[in-house]
Amino acid sequence: MQQNNKFDFTIINDHKSPNTYKVELMLIELGVSYESISINDYLKNNSNNRIPALIDNTFKDPNILYESGSVLIYLANKFSKLLPDFRLNATLQNNNSQIISKSVWQLVNLIPSFNSSGNNENEVKKVLQLLDDRLSTNQYLGGSQYSIADISNSVWLLHLLKNSNQTISRFSNINKWLELINQRDSIKKLNNLMNNNFNNNLNNLNNNGIKFSNDLGRVINAL
């Protein structure tokens, strides 16, 4: 598939944000070749400092994309995977809309609840309860099939729990879903990658990073 690069895709990241891992998991799921470069190397020739960014090298002129949610939808449409195309089958319209809805939900609800000032326990509990309720009647967030909605939400939760060294056992449906997700070979690869990078980054946490990890642990432990 390569056109002007030995890799199909180039992902620009810092291996600290779960949003970068979302894109990396999607590429692993698709089985395409990719390289990962640091944002510092990328900024030598580019002024846009948004990460993750993805360069699609399969075109004559490489296509650059920003924002993790947009990247996942782009890749799903490009490869016709992990997002049902209701244009080909009208019965898939609800699945398509649910998957996109839950993917965007992660960006506007899950992330802000944990990133809010002081990590409000009630807000975190409300968001996780909504997720748990959804999974009480569906095996996956978009319905019966694994999709980009599961990638978006599971990577964030796995990353947060790893950073806080906590569990969310009271949300049984979320835990059952994460156990199912963790059986995938792609997730096993990603977990190994996150473990390696987490250990490498642990000694480099600044004061803000340490405070965030401590606050996050407090909030999850209080749920």
Side-chain angles (χ1 to χ4, degrees), residues 10-25 27 34-43 49-55 190 193 197 201:
T10 300
I11 180 174
I12 298 93
N13 60 48
D14 60 1
H15 276 150
K16 295 178 182 178
S17 166
N19 283 331
T20 65
Y21 288 116
K22 283 164 51 179
V23 176
E24 196 144 6
L25 176 58
L27 294 172
Y34 71 93
E35 64 176 340
S36 179
I37 65 174
S38 73
I39 188 171
N40 292 330
D41 292 335
Y42 178 65
L43 288 177
N49 61 356
R50 300 290 294 176
I51 57 169
L54 185 73
I55 304 175
L190 187 76
L193 180 64
N197 290 323
N201 291 331

Side-chain angles (χ1 to χ4, degrees), residues 76-102:
N77 285 325
K78 180 182 178 72
F79 291 94
S80 298
K81 291 184 178 179
L82 302 174
L83 179 63
D85 190 345
F86 66 86
R87 294 170 300 178
L88 302 178
N89 185 343
T91 63
L92 298 175
Q93 183 171 355
N94 184 60
N95 295 94
N96 179 282
S97 61
Q98 286 294 326
I99 289 169
I100 292 178
S101 175
K102 294 303 180 292

Side-chain angles (χ1 to χ4, degrees), residues 108-134:
V108 300
N109 289 281
L110 184 61
I111 296 177
S113 72
F114 281 99
N115 284 347
S116 62
S117 176
N119 298 113
N120 184 284
E121 288 95 337
N122 290 331
E123 183 62 25
V124 172
K125 187 183 295 184
K126 182 179 75 173
V127 167
L128 290 178
Q129 189 61 60
L130 287 171
L131 194 64
D132 197 72
D133 290 345
R134 171 66 181 174

Side-chain angles (χ1 to χ4, degrees), residues 158-175:
L158 290 170
H159 189 271
L160 290 172
L161 294 174
K162 188 179 298 294
N163 273 281
S164 64
N165 195 30
Q166 298 288 334
T167 63
I168 47 174
S169 56
R170 64 165 292 173
F171 298 100
S172 60
N173 297 310
I174 293 178
N175 278 282

